[in-house]
Coordinates of all heavy atoms in Angstrom, one line a residue:
N756 N 192.1 57.2 121.6 CA 192.3 57.5 120.2 C 193.7 57.5 119.9 O 194.5 58.0 120.6 CB 191.7 58.8 119.8 CG 190.1 58.8 119.8 OD1 189.6 57.7 119.7 ND2 189.5 59.9 120.1
K760 N 197.9 63.1 116.6 CA 198.2 64.1 117.7 C 198.5 63.5 119.0 O 199.4 64.0 119.7 CB 196.9 65.0 117.8 CG 197.1 66.1 118.9 CD 195.8 66.9 119.0 CE 195.9 68.0 120.1 NZ 194.7 68.8 120.2
N761 N 197.9 62.4 119.3 CA 198.0 61.8 120.6 C 198.8 60.4 120.6 O 198.9 59.8 121.6 CB 196.7 61.5 121.3 CG 196.0 62.8 121.5 OD1 196.5 63.8 122.1 ND2 194.7 63.0 121.1
Q870 N 193.4 60.4 132.2 CA 192.5 59.8 131.3 C 192.8 58.3 131.1 O 191.9 57.5 131.0 CB 192.6 60.6 130.0 CG 192.1 62.0 130.0 CD 192.4 62.8 128.8 OE1 192.9 62.3 127.8 NE2 192.2 64.1 128.8
Q895 N 182.9 63.3 136.3 CA 182.1 64.3 135.6 C 181.7 63.9 134.2 O 181.5 64.8 133.3 CB 182.7 65.7 135.7 CG 183.0 66.1 137.1 CD 183.5 67.5 137.2 OE1 182.8 68.5 136.9 NE2 184.8 67.7 137.5
N896 N 181.7 62.6 133.9 CA 181.3 62.2 132.5 C 179.8 61.9 132.6 O 179.3 60.8 132.5 CB 182.1 60.9 132.2 CG 183.5 61.2 131.7 OD1 183.7 61.8 130.7 ND2 184.4 60.7 132.5
Y897 N 179.0 63.0 132.7 CA 177.6 62.9 132.9 C 176.8 62.3 131.7 O 175.9 61.6 131.8 CB 177.0 64.2 133.4 CG 177.7 64.8 134.6 CD1 178.0 66.1 134.7 CD2 177.9 63.9 135.7 CE1 178.7 66.6 135.9 CE2 178.5 64.4 136.8 CZ 178.9 65.8 136.9 OH 179.5 66.2 138.0
R898 N 177.2 62.7 130.6 CA 176.6 62.3 129.4 C 176.7 60.7 129.2 O 175.8 60.0 128.9 CB 177.1 63.0 128.1 CG 176.4 62.5 126.8 CD 176.7 63.4 125.7 NE 176.0 62.9 124.5 CZ 176.0 63.6 123.3 NH1 176.6 64.7 123.2 NH2 175.3 63.1 122.3
H899 N 178.0 60.3 129.5 CA 178.2 58.9 129.4 C 177.5 58.1 130.5 O 177.0 57.0 130.3 CB 179.7 58.6 129.5 CG 180.1 57.2 129.1 ND1 180.0 56.7 127.8 CD2 180.5 56.1 129.9 CE1 180.4 55.5 127.8 NE2 180.7 55.1 129.0
D902 N 174.1 57.7 129.2 CA 174.0 56.6 128.2 C 174.1 55.2 128.9 O 173.4 54.3 128.4 CB 175.2 56.7 127.2 CG 175.1 58.0 126.4 OD1 174.0 58.5 126.2 OD2 176.2 58.5 125.9
Y947 N 172.8 66.5 131.2 CA 172.9 65.1 131.3 C 173.1 64.6 132.7 O 172.8 63.4 133.0 CB 174.0 64.6 130.4 CG 173.6 64.6 128.9 CD1 174.1 65.6 128.1 CD2 172.8 63.7 128.4 CE1 173.7 65.7 126.8 CE2 172.4 63.7 127.1 CZ 172.9 64.7 126.2 OH 172.5 64.8 124.9
S986 N 171.2 71.7 123.4 CA 172.5 71.4 124.1 C 173.3 70.5 123.3 O 174.5 70.5 123.4 CB 172.2 70.9 125.5 OG 171.5 69.6 125.4
L987 N 172.7 69.6 122.4 CA 173.4 68.7 121.6 C 174.3 69.5 120.6 O 175.4 69.0 120.2 CB 172.5 67.8 120.9 CG 171.8 66.8 121.8 CD1 170.8 66.0 120.9 CD2 172.7 65.8 122.4
K988 N 173.8 70.7 120.2 CA 174.6 71.5 119.2 C 175.6 72.4 119.9 O 176.6 72.7 119.4 CB 173.6 72.3 118.4 CG 172.6 71.5 117.6 CD 171.7 72.4 116.9 CE 170.6 71.7 116.2 NZ 169.6 72.6 115.5
A989 N 175.2 72.7 121.2 CA 176.1 73.7 121.9 C 177.3 73.2 122.5 O 178.3 73.9 122.8 CB 175.2 74.4 123.0
A990 N 177.3 71.9 122.7 CA 178.5 71.2 123.4 C 178.9 71.9 124.6 O 179.9 72.7 124.7 CB 179.7 71.2 122.4
P991 N 178.2 71.7 125.7 CA 178.5 72.4 127.0 C 179.9 72.1 127.4 O 180.4 71.0 127.2 CB 177.5 71.7 127.9 CG 176.4 71.1 127.1 CD 177.0 70.8 125.8
K992 N 180.5 73.1 128.0 CA 181.9 73.1 128.3 C 182.3 72.1 129.4 O 183.4 71.6 129.5 CB 182.4 74.5 128.7 CG 181.7 75.0 129.9 CD 182.2 76.4 130.2 CE 181.5 77.0 131.5 NZ 181.9 78.4 131.8
S993 N 181.2 71.8 130.2 CA 181.6 70.9 131.3 C 181.4 69.4 131.0 O 181.7 68.5 131.7 CB 180.6 71.1 132.5 OG 179.3 70.8 132.2
Q994 N 181.0 69.1 129.7 CA 180.8 67.7 129.4 C 182.1 67.1 128.9 O 182.9 67.8 128.2 CB 179.8 67.5 128.3 CG 178.4 68.0 128.7 CD 177.9 67.4 129.9 OE1 177.9 66.1 130.0 NE2 177.5 68.1 130.9
K995 N 182.4 65.8 129.2 CA 183.6 65.1 128.7 C 183.4 64.3 127.5 O 184.3 63.7 127.0 CB 184.1 64.2 129.8 CG 184.3 64.9 131.1 CD 185.5 65.9 131.1 CE 185.8 66.5 132.4 NZ 184.7 67.2 133.0
A996 N 182.1 64.3 127.0 CA 181.8 63.4 125.8 C 182.6 63.8 124.6 O 182.8 62.9 123.8 CB 180.3 63.5 125.6
D997 N 182.9 65.1 124.4 CA 183.6 65.5 123.2 C 185.1 65.5 123.4 O 185.8 66.1 122.6 CB 183.0 66.9 122.8 CG 181.6 66.8 122.4 OD1 181.1 65.7 121.9 OD2 180.9 67.8 122.6
S998 N 185.6 65.0 124.5 CA 187.0 65.0 124.7 C 187.7 64.2 123.6 O 187.3 63.0 123.3 CB 187.4 64.4 126.1 OG 188.8 64.2 126.2
P999 N 188.7 64.7 122.9 CA 189.3 64.0 121.8 C 190.1 62.8 122.3 O 190.5 62.0 121.4 CB 190.2 65.1 121.2 CG 190.5 66.0 122.3 CD 189.3 66.1 123.1
S1000 N 190.4 62.7 123.6 CA 191.3 61.7 124.0 C 190.6 60.4 124.3 O 191.2 59.3 124.4 CB 192.0 62.1 125.3 OG 192.8 63.3 125.0
I1001 N 189.3 60.4 124.6 CA 188.6 59.2 125.0 C 187.5 58.8 124.0 O 186.7 59.7 123.7 CB 188.0 59.4 126.4 CG1 189.1 59.8 127.4 CG2 187.2 58.2 126.9 CD1 188.6 60.1 128.8
D1002 N 187.5 57.6 123.6 CA 186.5 57.1 122.7 C 185.3 56.5 123.6 O 185.4 55.3 124.0 CB 187.1 56.0 121.8 CG 186.1 55.6 120.8 OD1 184.9 55.8 120.9 OD2 186.5 54.9 119.8
Y1003 N 184.3 57.3 123.9 CA 183.3 56.8 124.8 C 182.4 55.8 124.1 O 181.8 55.0 124.8 CB 182.4 58.0 125.2 CG 183.1 58.8 126.3 CD1 183.9 59.9 125.9 CD2 183.1 58.5 127.6 CE1 184.6 60.7 126.8 CE2 183.7 59.2 128.6 CZ 184.5 60.3 128.2 OH 185.1 61.1 129.1
A1004 N 182.3 55.8 122.8 CA 181.5 54.8 122.1 C 182.1 53.4 122.3 O 181.4 52.4 122.5 CB 181.4 55.1 120.6

Side-chain angles (χ1 to χ4, degrees):
N756 287 334
K760 179 179 180 181
N761 297 310
Q870 293 169 11
Q895 302 184 69
N896 283 294
Y897 301 136
R898 179 169 182 172
H899 192 70
D902 292 338
Y947 285 102
S986 63
L987 292 174
K988 302 176 183 179
K992 60 183 179 180
S993 65
Q994 300 304 310
K995 304 294 185 299
D997 294 332
S998 172
S1000 300
I1001 302 176
D1002 188 345
Y1003 285 93

